[in-house]
Amino acid sequence: MNQDNNTQRRLELMRLIREENHNNQMRIRTREEILYGKSDSYGGFDEYGYPLTAAEYSRPDESVHMSSFGLRLVIAVLLFGIYYFCRGQDISIAGITAQQIEAAVNVQETKLVDFISQFPYILQDKSDTGQ
């Protein structure tokens, strides 16, 4: 009889451990879904009736997240189109000619090339010192 009680207690303990492990895995999945934005189920409780923490419960405002890449791309294409038109027709807009724009870009380009040319020396210095 004592052997049977020990076996029953062990089986019950194993069942409780498995259930707790399953609950922990489900809570981790719920938190990952919320963290990575893969879930639409933002309730006050998870599927086992445990209340969610404040970080789990708060839904990020989806309307705030907006990329400006499309707008920047349209503006860049528009500006390039205006530059190309001015260059082809040899006209100026607001007193700025295509030649002035090209000169300003060339100055910026040389500054950029000078800046980038510093990096091989920096990387070489670090490799010489063993970093």
Side-chain angles (χ1 to χ4, degrees):
M1 191 67 144
N2 193 19
Q3 183 75 11
D4 192 34
N5 283 341
N6 286 341
T7 304
Q8 289 296 328
R9 286 180 49 201
R10 286 181 185 161
L11 288 174
E12 181 67 20
L13 182 61
M14 286 176 56
R15 186 187 67 76
L16 290 173
I17 289 172
R18 286 185 181 142
E19 184 178 318
E20 185 67 27
N21 186 28
H22 180 69
N23 288 344
N24 289 339
Q25 288 176 352
M26 293 306 295
R27 287 180 64 87
I28 288 172
R29 270 194 215 122
T30 301
R31 289 176 180 165
E32 285 176 347
E33 287 174 354
I34 292 169
L35 180 65
Y36 299 119
K38 296 179 183 176
S39 176
D40 291 334
S41 59
Y42 292 100
F45 295 89
D46 64 4
E47 65 184 58
Y48 294 103
Y50 294 113
L52 297 175
T53 62
E56 292 172 328
Y57 185 70
S58 65
R59 180 187 297 198
D61 192 8
E62 295 170 1
S63 64
V64 172
H65 178 67
M66 186 173 147
S67 176
S68 64
F69 176 73
L71 179 63
R72 290 183 289 148
L73 180 65
V74 168
I75 291 172
V77 169
L78 234 156
L79 288 173
F80 181 75
I82 292 170
Y83 159 76
Y84 193 75
F85 176 75
C86 289
R87 185 173 167 237
Q89 300 296 321
D90 198 27
I91 59 174
S92 66
I93 294 181
I96 301 173
T97 64
Q99 290 77 21
Q100 290 174 325
I101 294 172
E102 290 171 4
V105 168
N106 285 335
V107 168
Q108 291 296 324
E109 183 180 342
T110 57
K111 288 180 182 178
L112 181 63
V113 168
D114 291 340
F115 177 71
I116 292 174
S117 66
Q118 296 173 3
F119 287 109
Y121 301 115
I122 294 171
L123 294 175
Q124 184 180 12
D125 289 342
K126 286 186 179 181
S127 64
D128 291 342
T129 60
Q131 289 180 346

